Amino acid sequence: MKFPDAVRAWYATHHSDATEGREPLLTSSRSEEGFVSPLDNRRDETTMAEVRHDAVGNVGVVVAPTDDCATRRKIDLTILPLLVWVYFLQILDKTVLGFSAIFGLPDDLHLRGDQYSLVGAIAPIAQLVVQPISSWLIVRVPHRVLMSGLVLGWGVAQTMTPFCKTFAQLMTARFFLGFFEGGCLPLFSVITGYWYTRGEQPLRVAAWYGTNGLGTVFAALLSFGLGRLGEGDGPKQDGLKGWQWIFLSTGMLTVITVPFVYFRLDNDIQTARFLNEREKTAALGRVKGNQTGSSSAKKNWKWRQVREVFLDIKTWFFLGMALANNLGAQVTVTFGPLILSGLGYDKYTTTLLNIPFGVMQYLVILATAWAAVRLKLKAPTLGGMILVILAGLITLYTLPRGQNQAGGLLAGFYCLAFIFGCNTLIVSWILANTAGQTKRAAIMSLYNAASSTGNIVGPLLFETDDAPAYLPGLRATMGVFAAMLVIVLIQVAVLVRFNKKQEQRRVEAGKPARNGDLTTGSGDDGSHTRVGERAFEDMTDLENDEFIYFY
């Protein structure tokens, strides 16, 4: 029976290797030629020269399961908690703006008209401005230095926010908040892609990106506790009001995190302080299968890879997804509390109602990442989530406002939590389909730019005059997510076509067309070509004929 090309390509891509976290073409070593024995107990220590030779110079490096698990566990306990905590702080510092709105910030600063919308949009504008700089910095500046600087910058901006007295001062503080936060998501994505295999990345991205939900929960609890300060029914301290205490506490928490980040984060595998020489060998061998050049110690900015990003058609579809999805995401951050308050609840009840929304964000992100890994299907999972989001938007749009409809309206609003799961899948999908240090940094910066653009435009779709239902904004958002679903389907077709071209290139080079059971093959000139020998070279996915695209 002859299956359609799309079915055969899907099967070859997703079922050619049963080992968790491994990718096809990258881990098979059936031939004795070029085979490197697994690490064993007789080889406890090696020099760094041997480490690089084993992981880069030889073909078919195999890491023993015990070494693989032990090394991954160490990375999970050292690198991942840093990513989770710092990203949580970034989300928390952004999220409290929506809660400050229901605790008096617009009235105290005399915001009028669309000024609050502009306050919500200025941070994404700053993120958009900084993207060209951040992509260069990610390649050139050691990760521990860059992350520490970013955290310090936005922490200071957040700490200064409660002392703003005018609209202009508030806009300035929020601009610098967004400016320093702008490099966060691209940097975290690159770090995740560096330390983990492609099969492991979705769950690790979900671990730190899932703090979107935890940030909402903590911001709600913090606002509920501090919101009463400075009001008539609570103690008044130093003249600061509740919303000011919210900003001050989150800003100070961020600032005191800086030394912790600097002294705990390592820049790369070769110099990692938490790994011994044996574990460094295993760590390098683990990520060899990514074929992304991510283990290269060189930090060279390559303009040809930047050009390739703009000429690569799949870039634009990924950016279209990011733009569309974040049009809705910013709506929940900036206007979510206001939408809930429009259901007739007081500000304290409104604050507490955001807690289930945050919990649902977190669970959705983890569940969808797990489903994408388990099923090895990113696009269908993403498409299903978009349908849930559309169902929530339709519910909010069609049901009349009022206490008798509160249950249905809350259910519709909570469906919007799936927006944040979409972002996780899009990031992991990009990482799985992009190779080359500069190209990965550049495309993640462009992703953040597209996200920032969505965050800028999103709040502007919701006019104050449309409160409390905000029907025009909901209608526009429905159209955006319908378009996003179409973009996902087109991207799948593009990646299927790319895989067919890659198969043709491998055959012409004398390599296996799909899975590479062999480590060698003969070209037309009789020369032998090793599969995987260029895994750590800083090649892009379009340059490396052994790269396989996933969907």
Side-chain angles (χ1 to χ4, degrees):
M1 179 178 179
K2 184 176 177 60
F3 292 97
D5 289 341
V7 175
R8 290 191 296 107
W10 175 84
Y11 185 88
T13 300
H14 296 284
H15 293 276
S16 55
D17 199 322
T19 304
E20 182 181 359
R22 305 292 187 183
E23 304 296 350
L25 242 185
L26 311 178
T27 59
S28 56
S29 297
R30 305 291 175 85
S31 169
E32 293 296 323
E33 182 177 357
F35 181 82
V36 176
S37 298
L39 299 172
D40 54 44
N41 293 330
R42 294 170 298 174
R43 189 180 178 190
D44 292 331
E45 298 293 337
T46 58
T47 63
M48 276 312 300
E50 290 174 317
V51 171
R52 289 172 181 164
H53 178 71
D54 284 348
V56 182
N58 292 322
V59 179
V61 173
V62 178
V63 180
T66 54
D67 292 297
D68 181 83
C69 293
T71 303
R72 182 177 63 229
R73 188 179 303 111
K74 270 199 168 183
I75 296 171
D76 281 341
L77 293 175
T78 305
I79 300 297
L80 193 58
L82 282 170
L83 300 181
V84 170
W85 175 248
V86 175
Y87 204 83
F88 166 77
L89 290 177
Q90 188 232 174
I91 295 300
L92 178 64
D93 290 348
K94 289 193 299 187
T95 304
V96 293
L97 175 65
F99 291 98
S100 70
I102 62 176
F103 282 100
L105 181 147
D107 293 334
D108 290 342
L109 270 65
H110 308 292
L111 301 184
R112 299 291 182 268
D114 61 355
Q115 287 184 334
Y116 177 72
S117 295
L118 293 175
V119 170
I122 190 62
I125 290 174
Q127 291 180 358
L128 185 61
V129 170
V130 79
Q131 290 317 301
I133 305 172
S134 68
S135 60
W136 183 85
L137 291 174
I138 289 170
V139 175
R140 299 295 298 176
V141 179
H143 292 165
R144 65 187 301 195
V145 176
L146 180 57
M147 186 184 293
S148 300
L150 295 176
V151 175
L152 178 62
W154 88 62
V156 171
Q158 183 79 349
T159 304
M160 297 305 297
T161 301
F163 304 104
C164 296
K165 303 297 183 184
T166 65
F167 169 69
Q169 292 175 355
L170 181 61
M171 289 284 283
T172 302
R174 297 298 293 182
F175 177 87
F176 282 106
L177 179 83
F179 185 86
F180 287 103
E181 286 183 342
C184 188
L185 190 144
L187 176 61
F188 279 45
S189 302
V190 170
I191 291 175
T192 304
Y194 177 87
W195 288 94
Y196 292 101
T197 68
R198 290 200 285 180
E200 296 165 351
Q201 288 168 17
L203 285 176
R204 273 65 185 185
V205 171
W208 51 262
Y209 193 83
T211 57
N212 272 285
L214 297 181
T216 301
V217 172
F218 192 78
L221 292 172
L222 190 69
S223 300
F224 183 81
L226 297 180
R228 298 177 185 272
L229 296 178
E231 295 187 350
D233 56 349
K236 183 175 182 179
Q237 302 178 18
D238 298 333
L240 295 181
K241 296 189 176 181
W243 66 268
Q244 293 174 306
W245 280 109
I246 294 170
F247 278 111
L248 185 62
S249 60
T250 54
M252 291 301 298
L253 182 62
T254 302
V255 171
I256 63 177
T257 296
V258 175
F260 175 75
V261 172
Y262 182 80
F263 289 110
R264 289 292 295 171
L265 183 64
D266 283 305
N267 294 318
D268 52 46
I269 294 172
Q270 290 91 337
T271 61
R273 294 162 294 175
F274 67 95
L275 298 176
N276 59 37
E277 300 302 309
R278 172 192 178 88
E279 291 164 341
K280 290 174 183 176
T281 303
L284 287 168
R286 277 168 29 81
V287 297
K288 181 177 182 179
N290 290 350
Q291 291 281 358
T292 58
S294 59
S295 288
S296 173
K298 298 180 180 179
K299 298 291 184 180
N300 298 321
W301 179 263
K302 298 181 178 178
W303 285 107
R304 62 179 175 79
Q305 293 191 11
V306 177
R307 289 194 298 271
E308 183 175 305
V309 169
F310 289 97
L311 296 175
D312 189 345
I313 187 172
K314 70 179 188 294
T315 295
W316 300 104
F317 292 118
F318 279 134
L319 296 185
M321 296 177 209
L323 174 64
N325 194 62
N326 284 278
L327 279 167
Q330 185 65 9
V331 167
T332 62
V333 172
T334 306
F335 282 91
L338 295 179
I339 291 174
L340 288 179
S341 66
L343 302 183
Y345 300 107
D346 62 49
K347 58 186 177 182
Y348 298 107
T349 303
T350 298
T351 299
L352 294 178
L353 285 173
N354 278 272
I355 294 177
F357 182 73
V359 172
M360 191 166 181
Q361 284 183 53
Y362 183 69
L363 295 178
V364 163
I365 290 171
L366 293 183
T368 52
W370 178 86
V373 171
R374 190 73 173 176
L375 301 176
K376 301 182 184 295
L377 293 169
K378 293 180 175 63
T381 306
L382 182 58
M385 294 170 64
I386 295 173
L387 293 177
V388 175
I389 295 167
L390 284 171
L393 290 169
I394 292 171
T395 301
L396 289 174
Y397 184 77
T398 56
L399 287 183
R401 296 301 185 267
Q403 287 291 335
N404 58 329
Q405 299 290 343
L409 291 168
L410 281 174
F413 180 74
Y414 289 158
C415 284
L416 302 187
F418 281 78
I419 293 173
F420 299 91
C422 290
N423 270 332
T424 305
L425 283 180
I426 295 170
V427 169
S428 62
W429 201 6
I430 293 173
L431 291 176
N433 289 289
T434 309
Q437 291 187 87
T438 303
K439 185 174 182 180
R440 286 160 72 87
I443 195 171
M444 288 314 303
S445 291
L446 287 174
Y447 167 86
N448 213 29
S451 300
S452 299
T453 302
N455 292 337
I456 293 167
V457 177
L460 301 180
L461 297 178
F462 288 73
E463 296 288 342
T464 304
D465 294 340
D466 298 327
Y470 296 102
L471 294 182
L474 292 173
R475 184 169 56 246
T477 307
M478 282 189 285
V480 167
F481 278 101
M484 181 179 171
L485 183 60
V486 174
I487 293 173
V488 171
L489 296 176
I490 295 175
Q491 184 72 302
V492 171
V494 169
L495 295 177
V496 169
R497 178 59 180 166
F498 273 32
N499 275 337
K500 292 181 66 175
K501 289 183 177 180
Q502 291 289 74
E503 289 178 11
Q504 294 172 1
R505 292 175 62 193
R506 288 193 289 272
V507 171
E508 292 171 359
K511 301 176 183 178
R514 292 196 181 91
N515 192 25
D517 285 339
L518 304 176
T519 57
T520 62
S522 296
D524 294 337
D525 59 356
S527 61
H528 289 277
T529 304
R530 294 177 182 270
V531 174
E533 67 180 354
R534 308 183 73 180
F536 283 158
E537 294 183 19
D538 193 13
M539 301 173 63
T540 68
D541 52 283
L542 295 182
E543 295 170 340
N544 186 356
D545 61 9
E546 295 174 13
F547 193 93
I548 293 178
Y549 296 95
F550 288 83
Y551 46 85

